[in-house]
Amino acid sequence: MLTILGFVMIATFLVLIMMKKMSPIAALVLIPALFCVFVGQGGQLGEYVLKGVGDLAPTAAMLMFAIVYFGVMIDVGLFDPIVRGILRFCKADPLRIVVGTALLAAIVSLDGDGSTTFMITVSAMYPLYKRLGMSLVVMTGVAATANGVMNTLPWGGPTARAATALKVDAGDVFVPMIPALAVGMAAVLVLAYVLGRRERKRLGMLTLDEALETGTGSGTGSGTEQVLVKAGAGSSTAGAGSTAVGGPGAGTGKGASVGGGTGTAPGEESGAKSGEKSGEEADDEGFQGLDPNRPTLRPRLYWFNAGLTVALLTSMILELLPIPVLFLIGAALALTVNYPNMAEQKARIAAHADNVLNVSGMVFAAAVFTGVLTGTGMVEHMADWLVGAIPEGMGPHMAIVTGVLSLPLTYFMSNDGFYFGVLPVLAEAGAAHGVSPLEIARASLVGQPLHMSSPLVPAVYVLVGMAKVEFGDHTKFTVKWAALTSLVVLAAGILFGII
């Protein structure tokens, strides 16, 4: 009974948020609360929720201060050179921009923390996508999938959990998996290339100078360099062989993708032409990632901020202090040094309060979901049912079975629940048929590209929140590509004899 109710609860949650019938926060709280009553354990709801909140409180604290820290770094202009450099390198070509998103997310993922990766990637790439009218859901999908592949680094979490749970060496788990993970990263780049070509085909032409404009685009002469894209907003011929587009206030039309891009389908009038602006468009005008004259810039402190960020990320990798403590100290230092005036500090905190509230609220709401799922025993019963459903004849192939099961299980469960609760059972079943625990541990990593878009991963709410993408839209777009990437990693592991 608990098995059925567990699957029904998860399915109900996913259907409601993808159909946009409920907000993620409301669904994460109300649905598990109702199911807790259905299973006759309503009296223990408070205990389950408090246990879940206690488990996720450090994560919430880390995200709160990480958002403040990287928000201040964006304000002071730390990432402006990256944004301008990427744009000039990409020449406003959607194909290069999407591939650049995958590369940037993969490189930043070397720090082992998903929320940091998403904050840096979105802060650097968001202005490009908005200026060019590209689909924001493409950005979130590519970034999440790239981070999922890189999340298998020994200091990223899953590898260490698998090694600990099965009492094997993390290096013995990770190093042989490098060829398969490299194939997975190549698959992400191929995906980015395909999605980039699709965006290039959907869009038209734009000049590089107009992409760098923060205001409304203006006509340019024939001497202006041309590039392979235009924002879908109403564009007009501006000169010989050149096209002008609106700035960040360009209207959002029906032709825009679900990701929230500002593109408008050919033949449709844009909001810029009609003079109407939505609240989201007004927010975009306030996002001054490329504005060289914004008052929050601190160019004289650039190297201090760069050094502080490098020191912070290095301390995270070396685990000198708990990550929440590092970000708390980092945020306090960044605010104090860059904005010594109390009023300015309050203004910067207020500027990022919306993101802080949304993300931390989502984390604590997810604590209700995970608390009920674990406390009622649903997770345990679901895992036991899945393991019990494996045919006896599949015993010698338990590594492959583990790889396949890691996709749904790491999506619907936390990494802790899967690696410490389910993986030992799978390893024991495999050992009875002569399958090495190392093979089981390696196979368990292949589901990570999909895991990073799970509603139970706090970092994904940083990604969709900063990108202004609905979680349901992100899920519908990303799950299929992330699952395909995971299967590519599994196939590569089998081909290379790793799994």
Side-chain angles (χ1 to χ4, degrees):
M1 187 64 176
L2 285 176
T3 301
I4 296 173
L5 286 174
F7 283 116
V8 171
M9 184 176 86
I10 292 171
T12 302
F13 167 76
L14 291 174
V15 168
L16 288 176
I17 61 170
M18 285 194 288
M19 294 180 65
K20 300 182 182 179
K21 299 298 184 182
M22 293 182 73
S23 69
I25 285 183
L28 284 168
V29 172
L30 296 179
I31 292 173
L34 288 174
F35 274 83
C36 188
V37 175
F38 289 161
V39 299
Q41 299 185 35
Q44 286 76 47
L45 177 61
E47 178 185 340
Y48 298 155
V49 171
L50 289 179
K51 177 65 168 60
V53 168
D55 291 341
L56 291 181
T59 300
M62 182 271 290
L63 292 176
M64 288 172 63
F65 290 105
I67 289 170
V68 173
Y69 179 83
F70 283 105
V72 169
M73 291 299 109
I74 294 167
D75 293 337
V76 301
L78 180 63
F79 302 115
D80 281 21
I82 298 176
V83 174
R84 292 192 178 91
I86 291 174
L87 181 55
R88 293 188 186 282
F89 171 77
C90 293
K91 297 185 182 297
D93 179 356
L95 191 155
R96 294 189 184 187
I97 289 172
V98 179
V99 172
T101 301
L103 288 172
L104 180 61
I107 292 170
V108 180
S109 294
L110 290 172
D111 74 344
D113 180 61
S115 57
T116 303
T117 297
F118 296 147
M119 280 184 276
I120 293 175
T121 302
V122 175
S123 65
M125 304 305 293
Y126 180 88
L128 279 68
Y129 280 78
K130 292 301 291 185
R131 298 294 188 266
L132 306 182
M134 294 176 63
S135 169
L136 293 174
V137 79
V138 170
M139 175 179 69
T140 62
V142 168
T145 306
N147 178 253
V149 174
M150 298 299 292
N151 193 45
T152 54
L153 291 167
W155 55 87
T159 300
R161 287 182 175 93
T164 302
L166 300 186
K167 297 179 176 59
V168 295
D169 184 74
D172 292 339
V173 175
F174 175 74
V175 174
M177 278 293 289
I178 291 177
L181 296 173
V183 172
M185 195 63 233
V188 174
L189 294 176
V190 170
L191 170 64
Y193 179 85
V194 171
L195 296 176
R197 281 185 62 89
R198 192 167 73 179
E199 284 295 280
R200 177 197 279 177
K201 183 177 180 180
R202 181 175 69 86
L203 302 169
M205 300 287 294
L206 178 69
T207 61
L208 183 57
D209 290 340
E210 286 162 352
L212 290 168
E213 293 279 339
T214 56
T216 303
S218 59
T220 58
S222 58
T224 304
E225 178 187 4
Q226 281 191 325
V227 287
L228 294 171
V229 110
K230 76 173 178 183
S235 57
S236 57
T237 303
S242 175
T243 306
V245 292
T252 303
K254 294 179 181 179
S257 76
V258 294
T262 55
T264 308
E268 293 181 333
E269 282 194 43
S270 70
K273 285 187 175 182
S274 64
E276 297 177 357
K277 293 180 180 178
S278 68
E280 180 182 342
E281 290 158 355
D283 289 341
D284 296 333
E285 287 188 335
F287 192 104
Q288 297 178 317
L290 294 175
D291 181 1
N293 301 311
R294 61 190 187 276
T296 59
L297 288 175
R298 295 295 184 269
R300 293 183 180 179
L301 294 171
Y302 183 85
W303 292 111
F304 166 80
N305 290 311
L308 179 62
T309 301
V310 170
L312 178 62
L313 297 180
T314 302
S315 299
M316 287 172 53
I317 294 173
L318 298 178
E319 299 182 351
L320 298 181
L321 286 172
I323 294 178
V325 177
L326 288 172
F327 274 117
L328 193 155
I329 295 173
L333 279 173
L335 281 169
T336 302
V337 174
N338 287 286
Y339 305 104
N341 183 279
M342 185 69 69
E344 290 180 329
Q345 290 183 18
K346 289 181 179 179
R348 290 303 87 216
I349 293 173
H352 304 293
D354 186 42
N355 278 335
V356 170
L357 179 61
N358 285 336
V359 173
S360 59
M362 203 75 72
V363 172
F364 286 122
V368 180
F369 195 93
T370 57
V372 170
L373 203 60
T374 303
T376 57
M378 290 182 187
V379 165
E380 184 180 353
H381 280 75
M382 291 163 63
D384 289 344
W385 178 82
L386 284 171
V387 172
I390 300 172
E392 184 66 25
M394 292 298 293
H397 308 288
M398 278 303 296
I400 298 175
V401 171
T402 299
V404 173
L405 287 179
S406 72
L407 273 72
L409 290 180
T410 58
Y411 186 80
F412 295 126
M413 299 171 62
S414 67
N415 269 342
D416 285 339
F418 173 70
Y419 286 105
F420 294 119
V422 179
L423 191 61
V425 178
L426 294 171
E428 186 177 346
H433 294 84
V435 180
S436 165
L438 283 172
E439 290 186 62
I440 299 292
R442 293 167 193 157
S444 70
L445 301 178
V446 305
Q448 289 304 303
L450 179 60
H451 169 75
M452 286 311 298
S453 289
S454 165
L456 302 181
V457 174
V460 76
Y461 297 112
V462 176
L463 176 65
V464 298
M466 291 187 67
K468 299 182 177 67
V469 170
E470 289 289 337
F471 180 78
D473 292 335
H474 170 79
T475 300
K476 284 189 289 187
F477 178 83
T478 306
V479 164
K480 56 182 179 292
W481 301 117
L484 180 61
T485 302
S486 294
L487 292 175
V488 167
V489 174
L490 178 59
I494 296 171
L495 183 64
F496 294 145
I498 303 166
I499 298 174

